[in-house]
């Protein structure tokens, strides 16, 4: 058995998984995260879900190579179809996908979320859409992280069942990230501001509604950066 060497991004996700959990990892990326968590004796068992045949077979192979067949079940399934309600999973991780796709996965399997105590989500984009979905479906964000790895910036959010409200600024920038305003947070939004200003220059004056929409977002970014 070889200890899995996770990326910085997935190590951060792993650090947020509660000890003793039963995990469903959706889009499991070769089952690296569940294997690591079992090796660290942090979780009791896991389901690794994959929708694509190649990564599914790779996950099976990795679990077998680490002699963890008794702890990790690998399933070829789309999203939360990998989960049977009787399996008593308490935590779901979904990492490395767009925020819109993660929202869609949760929406399509929302009847299976009743027993879930925690969602740990790492969207690659459209984080505000995911936060909006969580709020609209009675989840409250209890923690957020922002990290940089290999020149890319990633946001991670942890949510649990419960009513919450986020204003537009909190949906866009994160209720915790917008308070902390870390150097990585500032770097991300300074880069986004420059990109949007360039895009605004390319939009003809006649496209008034598009210009207004873009200008509004640029102003929101300016306000959050000016507050820091």
């Amino acid at each position: 058995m070889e200890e899995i060497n996770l990326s910085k991004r997935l190590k951060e996700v792993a650090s947020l998984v509660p000890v003793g959990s039963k995990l469903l990892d959706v889009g499991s990326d070769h089952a690296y995260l569940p294997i690591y968590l079992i090796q660290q004796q942090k979780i009791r068992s896991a389901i690794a879900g994959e929708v694509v045949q190649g990564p599914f077979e790779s996950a099976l192979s990795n679990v077998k190579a680490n002699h963890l067949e008794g702890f990790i079940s690998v399933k070829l399934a789309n999203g939360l179809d990998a989960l049977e309600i009787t399996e008593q999973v308490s935590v779901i991780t979904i990492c490395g996908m767009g925020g819109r796709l993660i929202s869609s996965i949760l929406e399509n399997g929302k009847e299976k979320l009743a027993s879930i105590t925690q969602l740990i989500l790492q969207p690659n984009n459209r984080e505000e859409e995911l936060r909006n979905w969580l709020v609209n479906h009675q989840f409250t964000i209890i923690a957020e992280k922002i990290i940089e790895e290999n020149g890319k910036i990633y946001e991670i959010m942890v949510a649990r069942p419960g009513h919450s409200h986020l204003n537009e600024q909190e949906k866009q920038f994160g209720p915790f990230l917008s308070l902390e305003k870390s150097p990585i947070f500032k770097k991300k939004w300074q880069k986004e501001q420059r990109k949007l200003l360039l895009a605004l220059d390319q939009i003809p004056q006649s496209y008034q509604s598009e210009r207004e929409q873009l200008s509004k977002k640029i102003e929101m970014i300016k306000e959050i950066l000016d507050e820091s």
Side-chain angles (χ1 to χ4, degrees):
M1 184 187 294
E2 290 186 13
E3 186 172 325
I4 294 289
N5 186 22
L6 286 187
S7 66
K8 180 180 177 181
R9 171 179 64 91
L10 286 182
K11 272 190 177 172
E12 196 69 55
V13 171
S15 74
L16 296 166
V17 176
V19 174
S21 304
K22 182 168 184 181
L23 177 74
L24 168 63
D25 187 33
V26 177
S28 195
D29 190 22
H30 314 293
Y32 292 147
L33 180 63
I35 291 170
Y36 175 86
L37 287 166
I38 291 286
Q39 288 178 341
Q40 298 296 314
Q41 299 183 333
K42 193 167 185 187
I43 61 172
R44 292 182 289 119
S45 61
I47 299 166
E50 266 298 348
V51 71
V52 179
Q53 187 71 33
F56 165 71
E57 291 174 0
S58 176
L60 277 175
S61 176
N62 289 336
V63 169
K64 187 175 181 181
N66 285 277
H67 312 294
L68 293 175
E69 298 96 323
F71 296 92
I72 301 173
S73 170
V74 183
K75 297 187 183 183
L76 184 63
N78 187 7
L80 299 192
D81 289 346
L83 175 61
E84 299 294 332
I85 293 174
T86 55
E87 289 175 299
Q88 298 180 317
V89 160
S90 55
V91 175
I92 295 174
T93 49
I94 312 178
C95 306
M97 306 178 199
R100 183 171 290 175
L101 177 56
I102 295 175
S103 299
S104 175
I105 288 169
L106 294 171
E107 177 66 30
N108 291 336
K110 61 187 176 185
E111 73 282 355
K112 297 182 178 181
L113 298 177
S115 64
I116 301 302
T117 59
Q118 204 147 287
L119 299 172
I120 304 172
L121 311 170
Q122 183 269 295
N124 287 345
N125 54 41
R126 298 184 185 273
E127 295 87 357
E128 73 284 357
E129 291 189 28
L130 182 52
R131 290 190 188 98
N132 196 52
W133 188 93
L134 291 169
V135 169
N136 289 340
H137 291 82
Q138 304 304 304
F139 280 89
T140 183
I141 296 170
I142 61 168
E144 293 178 302
K145 301 282 186 181
I146 187 166
I147 64 160
E148 184 172 16
E149 182 177 29
N150 298 328
K152 294 185 178 179
I153 294 175
Y154 301 100
E155 293 185 17
I156 304 163
M157 56 190 80
V158 184
R160 67 183 177 201
H163 176 73
S164 64
H165 171 76
L166 297 178
N167 61 36
E168 287 305 307
Q169 186 184 76
E170 290 168 330
K171 285 179 185 176
Q172 183 68 57
F173 303 106
F176 293 94
L177 299 180
S178 60
L179 285 176
E180 293 163 5
K181 296 187 181 71
S182 71
I184 298 172
F185 174 89
K186 293 175 188 175
K187 182 177 180 179
K188 171 180 176 168
W189 289 107
Q190 285 164 350
K191 183 179 178 181
E192 182 69 10
Q193 185 181 45
R194 289 193 295 271
K195 187 177 84 174
L196 293 177
L197 285 167
L198 285 171
L200 184 62
D201 285 342
Q202 304 302 314
I203 299 175
Q205 294 290 338
S206 56
Y207 286 65
Q208 193 61 33
S209 63
E210 289 87 345
R211 290 183 62 85
E212 285 177 2
Q213 192 174 0
L214 211 54
S215 296
K216 182 182 176 184
K217 189 166 183 180
I218 291 167
E219 186 57 34
M220 281 182 71
I221 296 171
K222 182 177 183 300
E223 285 176 12
I224 200 80
L225 291 174
D226 285 350
E227 287 173 7
S228 55

